[in-house]
Amino acid sequence: MYLRTFFDEKLAQYSYLIGCQRTGEALVIDPARDVTPYIEVAKKEGFHLAAAAETHIHADFVSGARQLAEKHDVKLYLSDEGDQDAKYEYLQGLNVDLVKDGSIINVGNIELKVMHTPGHTPESISFMLTDRGGGSDVPMGVFTGDFVFVGDIGRPDLLEKSAGQEGTAEKGAKEMFKSLQTFKELPEFLMVWPGHGAGSACGKSLGAVPQSTVGYELRNNWALKEENEETFRKELLNEQPEPPTYFSVMKKVNKEGPAVLSDEELQKVNNAEEFKAFAEQENTTIVDTRPAKDFAEGHIEGAINLPYNKAFTNWSGWVLDYDKDLILVANDDMKEDVVTSLHSIGIDKIKAYASPDILSQWNDLEGYTFISTEELKDVYEKEDVYVVDIRKENEYNQGHIPGAGHHMLGYIEDQVEDIPEDKTLVVHCQSGTRSAIGTSLLQSLGFKDILNYSGGFAAWEKEGDRVEK
């Protein structure tokens, strides 16, 4: 048997390629939208990528299942559990097997047994793997998707908070408790291969270790140690992080079927006049992917700064309008990665890009200034200064700069009317990553008297300054 793990650090998402070395067949579990890595690894290792399986209809990234089925003639194994709201809708004309609890999937001499494990979503399933080709009669491990993570479990509130399906959080919590009782009966030696790691918004305290065992989770995972259902339910639903706004889009896209991507090359714009022609078109957003320092020194008015780092994909989904066309400012050697990351969450309306060199042709660039802790101390209590804390609600509640207004980054556009136009704005987050995005977003919304406190609350707290809770 062959097993390979793939990890998208920007989505904290795991996918897996399993191959039978005797028959040369391979299957991928929970494929990301960029299917190239699976195709390349399968070819390199001498496998025919014959099938793909999904643990559930994903809400945090665009699935690559349809891409594999339509472009690479891959057979799909998808859940048929749950009610009508939990059914895939794009399957006509594709080679698909709909599976339920107890179904068996064979990849050559490798067996995957389906377990219905609802809670995160009604249709969620897990796959228990047995290497029959290696002569084993006992399973080796279980692919849990968003059911059991290392140190945590999947949140049941996304359908309610992101998709507006009222009452599903409570129902999901009850189903999750029941599913965990089944998990507790599995052999303790089984490996656990989860769908996400630390950094994913699909849980609140996921571990950064890529795999675990049933026995380890039984002894260390809070959810598996809790025996009282009501206490479990309250803890599971308490203080789950704000779900990114794009989750509702992802759920719809993966349910109805994502667009199949072409291999068309993104157009490059080489002069300012051509760039302006693109940028000035109605319903267009400029996304500048440079580091915050470079953006602050000079950028095109109205551009949003989304530095290409680990946080890029998540915050792109939060702040970009899916209905608008995008034109990118990105280095030539980074452009393909940027596009792949945007495609991974269904942002497909990318019209063109330009390298940062094009900015040298501009005469009217705007910028902003960074402010230090000492400088902030001198002004934060002044009446003509308004401190904008763009962290998450639980971060703000645990401690914030006295008098700071809370406007979580992902909700800034919805709260514009609550932010004073006649004051100097000082934007900050925890350590400076999010504040760069927030400062640029506020600038694009018309707030020009603006400063970026790049040290963030961490620096403020470290200096021993006053904190409100």
Side-chain angles (χ1 to χ4, degrees):
M1 186 189 79
Y2 174 88
L3 176 61
R4 169 74 179 268
T5 302
F6 299 82
F7 183 63
D8 183 338
E9 67 172 12
K10 293 179 176 60
L11 292 167
Q13 183 246 338
Y14 292 109
S15 52
Y16 303 90
L17 181 72
I18 310 160
C20 175
Q21 292 167 312
R22 291 191 177 184
T23 66
E25 296 173 85
L27 172 145
V28 61
I29 291 178
D30 286 337
R33 195 178 194 188
D34 179 15
V35 301
T36 305
Y38 313 121
I39 302 297
E40 290 180 347
V41 169
K43 182 178 180 180
K44 177 183 175 182
E45 299 295 335
F47 293 113
H48 165 59
L49 186 55
E54 285 197 325
T55 54
H56 63 293
I57 301 174
H58 302 287
D60 54 317
F61 68 95
V62 177
S63 164
R66 187 178 192 181
Q67 187 84 11
L68 286 169
E70 296 209 8
K71 295 274 283 187
H72 301 280
D73 197 28
V74 166
K75 182 175 183 176
L76 303 183
Y77 293 94
L78 304 173
S79 175
D80 196 26
E81 297 285 1
D83 58 20
Q84 195 57 40
D85 288 334
K87 303 298 183 184
Y88 293 85
E89 297 177 355
Y90 65 88
L91 308 183
Q92 188 172 358
L94 299 181
N95 185 4
V96 181
D97 266 6
L98 295 176
V99 296
K100 288 181 174 289
D101 186 67
S103 295
I104 300 295
I105 301 169
N106 291 305
V107 187
N109 295 310
I110 297 167
E111 176 186 286
L112 293 173
K113 184 176 182 180
V114 177
M115 300 167 52
H116 184 210
T117 49
H120 177 64
T121 64
E123 80 284 355
S124 288
I125 54 178
S126 299
F127 302 106
M128 192 154 55
L129 179 149
T130 302
D131 183 14
R132 301 288 184 188
S136 179
D137 291 323
V138 296
M140 173 186 291
V142 57
F143 297 95
T144 52
D146 290 16
F147 170 38
V148 174
F149 301 123
V150 178
D152 201 4
I153 58 172
R155 59 191 294 181
D157 61 322
L158 288 179
L159 288 177
E160 184 161 329
K161 291 180 179 177
S162 295
Q165 296 182 22
E166 191 173 343
T168 52
E170 290 283 349
K171 182 180 178 182
K174 292 178 180 179
E175 289 180 334
M176 181 63 80
F177 185 79
K178 185 177 180 180
S179 293
L180 289 176
Q181 308 318 304
T182 301
F183 183 89
K184 291 176 182 179
E185 296 174 1
L186 297 176
E188 291 196 16
F189 61 79
L190 287 188
M191 299 291 296
V192 174
W193 297 295
H196 292 285
S200 169
C202 291
K204 55 184 175 180
S205 57
L206 283 70
V209 179
Q211 60 190 32
S212 184
T213 64
V214 170
Y216 188 86
E217 294 308 307
L218 288 175
R219 289 162 178 78
N220 295 283
N221 191 316
W222 75 267
L224 288 157
K225 292 193 293 182
E226 182 55 63
E227 298 292 341
N228 182 275
E229 183 173 356
E230 182 59 19
T231 304
F232 167 86
R233 182 193 64 78
K234 288 180 179 179
E235 177 60 26
L236 179 58
L237 296 175
N238 182 48
E239 291 191 348
Q240 287 287 0
E242 296 91 335
T245 51
Y246 73 92
F247 275 21
S248 60
V249 179
M250 293 300 90
K251 197 72 179 179
K252 185 174 186 292
V253 164
N254 286 321
K255 178 180 170 66
E256 297 178 357
V260 176
L261 297 174
S262 67
D263 298 325
E264 186 177 344
E265 185 73 14
L266 185 65
Q267 178 181 347
K268 182 177 182 180
V269 178
N270 292 303
N271 65 77
E273 290 306 314
E274 187 181 359
F275 190 97
K276 287 179 180 178
F278 270 104
E280 290 172 358
Q281 291 178 12
E282 190 176 353
N283 221 33
T284 299
T285 299
I286 302 170
V287 176
D288 192 324
T289 64
R290 294 177 299 156
K293 181 178 178 295
D294 296 339
F295 183 86
E297 290 176 356
H299 57 267
I300 300 167
E301 185 174 359
I304 297 175
N305 185 208
L306 287 160
Y308 193 67
N309 52 33
K310 285 178 67 174
F312 173 82
T313 307
N314 179 58
W315 289 114
S316 293
W318 268 107
V319 305
L320 296 179
D321 188 335
Y322 275 72
D323 293 327
K324 290 188 176 183
D325 294 332
L326 301 186
I327 181 166
L328 308 176
V329 177
N331 291 323
D332 290 328
D333 61 353
M334 187 189 298
K335 175 259 302 182
E336 288 188 13
D337 291 336
V338 171
V339 171
T340 297
S341 294
L342 291 171
H343 282 167
S344 74
I345 55 169
I347 298 178
D348 295 346
K349 300 179 72 173
I350 310 167
K351 298 302 180 183
Y353 88 101
S355 71
D357 296 342
I358 204 169
L359 299 178
S360 64
Q361 303 176 33
W362 245 266
N363 297 319
D364 53 351
L365 296 176
E366 68 175 2
Y368 64 77
T369 302
F370 292 98
I371 188 173
S372 69
T373 303
E374 289 302 316
E375 290 171 317
L376 181 57
K377 284 181 190 178
D378 292 337
V379 302
Y380 80 97
E381 290 184 305
K382 291 184 177 181
E383 288 197 8
D384 61 347
V385 172
Y386 184 73
V387 179
V388 181
D389 187 328
I390 63 172
R391 296 176 300 158
K392 295 178 180 179
E393 184 177 8
N394 66 324
E395 293 176 294
Y396 179 83
N397 290 339
Q398 289 169 9
H400 55 267
I401 296 171
H406 182 231
H407 305 280
M408 191 269 188
L409 175 56
Y411 301 139
I412 280 180
E413 285 200 73
D414 298 327
Q415 299 178 10
V416 167
E417 294 182 358
D418 299 326
I419 301 174
E421 299 177 358
D422 58 347
K423 295 185 179 184
T424 298
L425 303 185
V426 180
V427 183
H428 82 87
C429 58
Q430 186 68 18
S431 60
T433 301
R434 287 169 284 178
S435 65
I437 303 171
T439 302
S440 75
L441 186 56
L442 285 166
Q443 270 195 321
S444 74
L445 294 169
F447 296 90
K448 302 305 181 183
D449 187 4
I450 191 165
L451 302 167
N452 181 350
Y453 174 40
S454 59
F457 186 74
W460 179 270
E461 196 171 33
K462 185 178 180 180
E463 299 263 343
D465 290 292
R466 288 198 302 122
V467 170
E468 282 184 348
K469 293 188 179 181

